[in-house]
């Protein structure tokens, strides 16, 4: 499986948002963890704004976005958020790339 990581562009916002919701819906179902609510209620305009204003990476396989990750740098610290991978692409090492 050939998975590539690249920076997201605003044209990816709709596909990223769909991917995010599918991934977090599965996460919430498996864990009963309510923290996923923010990701599940995120609209495309918020996704687009984050792509424009943050380091925002996507994982692609055969031209399809299969995951995403947001990175925020504050002074000497880095924060990862909304790390998501489509459920059908779990166990392929996407999160390790």
């Amino acid at each position: 499986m050939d998975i590539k990581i690249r920076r997201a562009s605003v044209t990816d916002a709709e596909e990223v948002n769909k991917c995010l919701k599918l991934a977090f819906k599965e996460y919430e179902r498996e864990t009963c963890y309510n923290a996923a609510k923010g990701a599940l209620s995120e609209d495309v305009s918020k996704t687009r704004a984050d792509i424009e204003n943050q380091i925002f990476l996507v994982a692609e396989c055969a031209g399809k976005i299969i995951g995403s990750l947001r990175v925020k740098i504050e002074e000497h610290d880095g924060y990862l958020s909304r790390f998501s991978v489509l459920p059908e692409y779990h166990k392929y090492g996407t999160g390790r790339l």
Side-chain angles (χ1 to χ4, degrees):
M1 184 171 295
D2 186 29
I3 299 171
K4 297 190 182 337
I5 305 296
R6 65 171 175 81
R7 282 198 80 151
S9 70
V10 291
T11 60
D12 296 323
E14 285 188 41
E15 190 175 358
V16 167
N17 190 268
K18 287 177 189 173
C19 176
L20 177 76
K21 288 182 179 181
L22 288 170
F24 273 86
K25 182 175 256 181
E26 180 69 11
Y27 174 68
E28 183 183 52
R29 186 186 65 75
E30 288 180 1
T31 64
C32 299
Y33 188 53
N34 289 334
K37 294 284 185 222
L40 291 171
S41 64
E42 180 172 303
D43 63 14
V44 176
S45 64
K46 167 71 169 129
T47 304
R48 189 175 294 113
D50 283 355
I51 289 171
E52 291 175 326
N53 298 308
Q54 295 182 22
I55 298 169
F56 201 122
L57 304 174
V58 294
E60 276 187 326
C61 183
K64 176 183 179 179
I65 293 175
I66 62 165
S68 65
L69 170 68
R70 298 165 204 207
V71 181
K72 185 176 183 181
I73 307 293
E74 291 182 358
E75 294 187 31
H76 302 291
D77 298 317
Y79 301 92
L80 308 179
S81 65
R82 303 267 165 101
F83 188 179
S84 61
V85 176
L86 288 174
E88 62 267 29
Y89 289 91
H90 288 186
K91 308 292 185 206
Y92 289 103
T94 306
R96 285 185 242 136
L97 295 175

